[in-house]
Short mmCIF file of all heavy atoms in Angstrom, two decimals:
data_model
loop_
_atom_site.label_atom_id
_atom_site.label_comp_id
_atom_site.label_asym_id
_atom_site.label_seq_id
_atom_site.Cartn_x
_atom_site.Cartn_y
_atom_site.Cartn_z
N TRP A 54 273.77 -72.42 27.81
CA TRP A 54 275.05 -71.73 27.51
C TRP A 54 275.63 -72.19 26.16
O TRP A 54 276.03 -71.29 25.42
CB TRP A 54 276.03 -72.10 28.62
CG TRP A 54 276.03 -71.21 29.82
CD1 TRP A 54 275.47 -71.53 31.02
CD2 TRP A 54 276.47 -69.92 29.94
NE1 TRP A 54 275.62 -70.44 31.91
CE2 TRP A 54 276.29 -69.44 31.24
CE3 TRP A 54 277.10 -68.92 29.04
CZ2 TRP A 54 276.57 -68.07 31.63
CZ3 TRP A 54 277.49 -67.73 29.47
CH2 TRP A 54 277.16 -67.29 30.82
N LEU A 55 275.67 -73.44 25.90
CA LEU A 55 276.27 -73.97 24.69
C LEU A 55 275.51 -73.40 23.45
O LEU A 55 276.14 -72.91 22.53
CB LEU A 55 276.26 -75.51 24.68
CG LEU A 55 276.87 -76.11 23.44
CD1 LEU A 55 278.35 -75.85 23.39
CD2 LEU A 55 276.70 -77.67 23.52
N GLU A 56 274.24 -73.49 23.48
CA GLU A 56 273.39 -73.01 22.35
C GLU A 56 273.49 -71.50 22.23
O GLU A 56 273.55 -70.96 21.09
CB GLU A 56 272.00 -73.51 22.39
CG GLU A 56 271.92 -74.99 22.09
CD GLU A 56 270.48 -75.54 22.02
OE1 GLU A 56 269.63 -75.08 22.80
OE2 GLU A 56 270.30 -76.43 21.20
N PHE A 57 273.58 -70.75 23.33
CA PHE A 57 273.79 -69.29 23.23
C PHE A 57 275.10 -68.95 22.61
O PHE A 57 275.17 -68.18 21.67
CB PHE A 57 273.71 -68.70 24.62
CG PHE A 57 274.00 -67.22 24.57
CD1 PHE A 57 273.03 -66.31 24.35
CD2 PHE A 57 275.27 -66.71 24.76
CE1 PHE A 57 273.27 -64.92 24.26
CE2 PHE A 57 275.57 -65.33 24.74
CZ PHE A 57 274.57 -64.44 24.47
N LEU A 58 276.16 -69.63 23.08
CA LEU A 58 277.51 -69.32 22.62
C LEU A 58 277.60 -69.68 21.09
O LEU A 58 278.23 -68.96 20.29
CB LEU A 58 278.60 -70.03 23.37
CG LEU A 58 278.72 -69.51 24.82
CD1 LEU A 58 279.63 -70.42 25.60
CD2 LEU A 58 279.28 -68.08 24.85
N ARG A 59 277.02 -70.81 20.74
CA ARG A 59 277.04 -71.20 19.31
C ARG A 59 276.23 -70.34 18.45
O ARG A 59 276.69 -69.89 17.34
CB ARG A 59 276.42 -72.62 19.22
CG ARG A 59 276.43 -73.21 17.80
CD ARG A 59 275.70 -74.53 17.77
NE ARG A 59 274.42 -74.51 18.46
CZ ARG A 59 273.25 -74.28 17.81
NH1 ARG A 59 273.30 -74.14 16.54
NH2 ARG A 59 272.16 -74.21 18.50
N ALA A 60 275.07 -69.88 18.91
CA ALA A 60 274.18 -69.00 18.14
C ALA A 60 274.73 -67.57 17.96
O ALA A 60 274.38 -66.90 16.97
CB ALA A 60 272.79 -68.98 18.71
N HIS A 61 275.48 -67.13 18.87
CA HIS A 61 275.92 -65.72 18.93
C HIS A 61 277.41 -65.50 18.88
O HIS A 61 277.96 -64.52 19.26
CB HIS A 61 275.40 -65.01 20.27
CG HIS A 61 273.85 -65.07 20.33
ND1 HIS A 61 273.11 -64.28 19.52
CD2 HIS A 61 273.05 -65.77 21.05
CE1 HIS A 61 271.80 -64.48 19.75
NE2 HIS A 61 271.74 -65.43 20.74
N ARG A 62 278.11 -66.49 18.32
CA ARG A 62 279.54 -66.38 18.30
C ARG A 62 280.06 -65.33 17.31
O ARG A 62 281.18 -64.90 17.40
CB ARG A 62 280.19 -67.78 18.03
CG ARG A 62 279.94 -68.27 16.62
CD ARG A 62 280.69 -69.64 16.44
NE ARG A 62 280.17 -70.28 15.23
CZ ARG A 62 279.68 -71.46 15.17
NH1 ARG A 62 279.56 -72.21 16.23
NH2 ARG A 62 279.26 -71.89 14.02
N ARG A 63 279.28 -64.96 16.34
CA ARG A 63 279.68 -64.03 15.35
C ARG A 63 279.14 -62.62 15.55
O ARG A 63 279.56 -61.70 14.84
CB ARG A 63 279.39 -64.55 13.93
CG ARG A 63 280.19 -65.73 13.58
CD ARG A 63 280.08 -66.01 12.08
NE ARG A 63 280.95 -67.17 11.75
CZ ARG A 63 280.60 -68.40 11.70
NH1 ARG A 63 279.34 -68.71 12.01
NH2 ARG A 63 281.44 -69.40 11.42
N ASP A 64 278.12 -62.50 16.41
CA ASP A 64 277.58 -61.18 16.60
C ASP A 64 278.04 -60.56 17.96
O ASP A 64 278.80 -61.23 18.68
CB ASP A 64 276.04 -61.17 16.49
CG ASP A 64 275.40 -62.09 17.59
OD1 ASP A 64 276.03 -62.39 18.57
OD2 ASP A 64 274.22 -62.48 17.30
N ARG A 65 277.62 -59.43 18.23
CA ARG A 65 278.10 -58.69 19.42
C ARG A 65 277.07 -58.78 20.54
O ARG A 65 276.93 -57.78 21.28
CB ARG A 65 278.50 -57.28 19.09
CG ARG A 65 279.54 -57.19 18.06
CD ARG A 65 280.64 -56.40 18.62
NE ARG A 65 281.71 -56.33 17.58
CZ ARG A 65 282.90 -56.76 17.81
NH1 ARG A 65 283.20 -57.38 18.90
NH2 ARG A 65 283.82 -56.58 16.92
N THR A 66 276.34 -59.84 20.66
CA THR A 66 275.39 -59.99 21.72
C THR A 66 276.08 -59.94 23.08
O THR A 66 277.04 -60.72 23.31
CB THR A 66 274.58 -61.26 21.60
OG1 THR A 66 273.94 -61.27 20.39
CG2 THR A 66 273.50 -61.42 22.73
N PRO A 67 275.72 -59.05 23.99
CA PRO A 67 276.42 -58.98 25.32
C PRO A 67 276.23 -60.27 26.12
O PRO A 67 275.28 -60.96 26.05
CB PRO A 67 275.73 -57.81 25.97
CG PRO A 67 274.61 -57.30 25.13
CD PRO A 67 274.64 -58.12 23.93
N MET A 68 277.31 -60.57 26.84
CA MET A 68 277.29 -61.83 27.68
C MET A 68 276.35 -61.76 28.79
O MET A 68 275.92 -62.80 29.22
CB MET A 68 278.74 -62.08 28.20
CG MET A 68 279.76 -62.62 27.23
SD MET A 68 279.15 -64.13 26.47
CE MET A 68 279.18 -65.24 27.86
N TRP A 69 275.88 -60.62 29.22
CA TRP A 69 274.88 -60.58 30.28
C TRP A 69 273.57 -61.21 29.80
O TRP A 69 272.83 -61.78 30.65
CB TRP A 69 274.68 -59.17 30.83
CG TRP A 69 273.98 -58.21 29.94
CD1 TRP A 69 274.56 -57.26 29.12
CD2 TRP A 69 272.58 -58.00 29.79
NE1 TRP A 69 273.62 -56.56 28.46
CE2 TRP A 69 272.38 -56.99 28.87
CE3 TRP A 69 271.46 -58.64 30.28
CZ2 TRP A 69 271.13 -56.56 28.44
CZ3 TRP A 69 270.17 -58.18 29.87
CH2 TRP A 69 270.04 -57.15 29.07
N HIS A 70 273.33 -61.25 28.46
CA HIS A 70 272.16 -62.01 27.96
C HIS A 70 272.25 -63.51 28.31
O HIS A 70 271.25 -64.10 28.65
CB HIS A 70 272.04 -61.84 26.48
CG HIS A 70 271.60 -60.46 26.06
ND1 HIS A 70 271.02 -60.24 24.81
CD2 HIS A 70 271.60 -59.25 26.68
CE1 HIS A 70 270.76 -58.93 24.70
NE2 HIS A 70 271.05 -58.32 25.86
N ALA A 71 273.45 -64.02 28.19
CA ALA A 71 273.63 -65.43 28.50
C ALA A 71 273.49 -65.65 30.04
O ALA A 71 272.93 -66.65 30.41
CB ALA A 71 275.01 -65.87 28.04
N TRP A 72 274.01 -64.78 30.83
CA TRP A 72 273.92 -64.87 32.21
C TRP A 72 272.44 -64.87 32.69
O TRP A 72 272.05 -65.67 33.52
CB TRP A 72 274.72 -63.79 32.99
CG TRP A 72 276.18 -64.15 33.05
CD1 TRP A 72 277.13 -63.63 32.22
CD2 TRP A 72 276.77 -65.09 33.84
NE1 TRP A 72 278.39 -64.23 32.56
CE2 TRP A 72 278.17 -65.14 33.58
CE3 TRP A 72 276.36 -65.93 34.87
CZ2 TRP A 72 279.05 -65.97 34.20
CZ3 TRP A 72 277.21 -66.77 35.54
CH2 TRP A 72 278.60 -66.76 35.21
N VAL A 73 271.65 -64.08 32.11
CA VAL A 73 270.24 -63.99 32.41
C VAL A 73 269.59 -65.23 31.94
O VAL A 73 268.80 -65.95 32.62
CB VAL A 73 269.59 -62.74 31.83
CG1 VAL A 73 268.12 -62.83 31.85
CG2 VAL A 73 270.10 -61.49 32.51
N GLY A 74 269.71 -65.64 30.64
CA GLY A 74 269.01 -66.76 30.05
C GLY A 74 269.54 -68.13 30.50
O GLY A 74 268.75 -69.02 30.59
N ALA A 75 270.83 -68.25 30.72
CA ALA A 75 271.41 -69.62 30.97
C ALA A 75 271.69 -69.82 32.51
O ALA A 75 271.96 -70.96 32.91
CB ALA A 75 272.70 -69.83 30.21
N PHE A 76 271.67 -68.71 33.31
CA PHE A 76 271.92 -68.91 34.74
C PHE A 76 270.68 -68.44 35.51
O PHE A 76 270.12 -69.21 36.26
CB PHE A 76 273.19 -68.22 35.22
CG PHE A 76 273.41 -68.28 36.66
CD1 PHE A 76 273.77 -69.45 37.26
CD2 PHE A 76 273.13 -67.16 37.45
CE1 PHE A 76 273.90 -69.61 38.61
CE2 PHE A 76 273.32 -67.27 38.83
CZ PHE A 76 273.65 -68.52 39.40
N ALA A 77 270.35 -67.17 35.44
CA ALA A 77 269.33 -66.60 36.26
C ALA A 77 267.92 -67.25 35.98
O ALA A 77 267.25 -67.58 36.95
CB ALA A 77 269.19 -65.11 36.03
N CYS A 78 267.65 -67.44 34.76
CA CYS A 78 266.32 -68.09 34.42
C CYS A 78 266.20 -69.51 34.95
O CYS A 78 265.15 -69.84 35.51
CB CYS A 78 266.03 -68.00 32.92
SG CYS A 78 265.54 -66.36 32.40
N PRO A 79 267.18 -70.37 34.75
CA PRO A 79 267.10 -71.72 35.40
C PRO A 79 266.95 -71.68 36.90
O PRO A 79 266.18 -72.47 37.47
CB PRO A 79 268.37 -72.46 34.95
CG PRO A 79 268.73 -71.79 33.68
CD PRO A 79 268.35 -70.30 33.84
N VAL A 80 267.63 -70.77 37.59
CA VAL A 80 267.55 -70.69 39.01
C VAL A 80 266.13 -70.19 39.44
O VAL A 80 265.53 -70.78 40.34
CB VAL A 80 268.67 -69.72 39.57
CG1 VAL A 80 268.35 -69.46 41.07
CG2 VAL A 80 270.02 -70.39 39.39
N LEU A 81 265.63 -69.20 38.71
CA LEU A 81 264.28 -68.69 39.03
C LEU A 81 263.24 -69.77 38.70
O LEU A 81 262.29 -69.98 39.43
CB LEU A 81 263.97 -67.41 38.29
CG LEU A 81 264.78 -66.22 38.70
CD1 LEU A 81 264.53 -65.01 37.71
CD2 LEU A 81 264.40 -65.81 40.13
N PHE A 82 263.42 -70.48 37.54
CA PHE A 82 262.54 -71.56 37.15
C PHE A 82 262.60 -72.64 38.30
O PHE A 82 261.55 -73.17 38.63
CB PHE A 82 263.11 -72.15 35.81
CG PHE A 82 262.38 -73.38 35.36
CD1 PHE A 82 261.11 -73.25 34.77
CD2 PHE A 82 262.94 -74.60 35.46
CE1 PHE A 82 260.47 -74.41 34.31
CE2 PHE A 82 262.29 -75.74 35.09
CZ PHE A 82 261.11 -75.64 34.39
N SER A 83 263.70 -72.97 38.79
CA SER A 83 263.86 -73.93 39.87
C SER A 83 263.05 -73.57 41.06
O SER A 83 262.35 -74.36 41.72
CB SER A 83 265.32 -74.08 40.20
OG SER A 83 265.48 -74.74 41.44
N GLY A 84 263.14 -72.30 41.42
CA GLY A 84 262.37 -71.79 42.58
C GLY A 84 260.89 -71.94 42.36
O GLY A 84 260.10 -72.34 43.27
#
Side-chain angles (χ1 to χ4, degrees):
W54 273 105
L55 182 63
E56 289 186 325
F57 175 87
L58 292 170
R59 180 186 51 94
H61 299 287
R62 67 177 169 236
R63 290 193 178 93
D64 60 21
R65 300 239 181 241
T66 303
M68 281 304 293
W69 69 265
H70 287 199
W72 280 102
V73 169
F76 176 71
C78 285
V80 171
L81 293 172
F82 175 78
S83 165

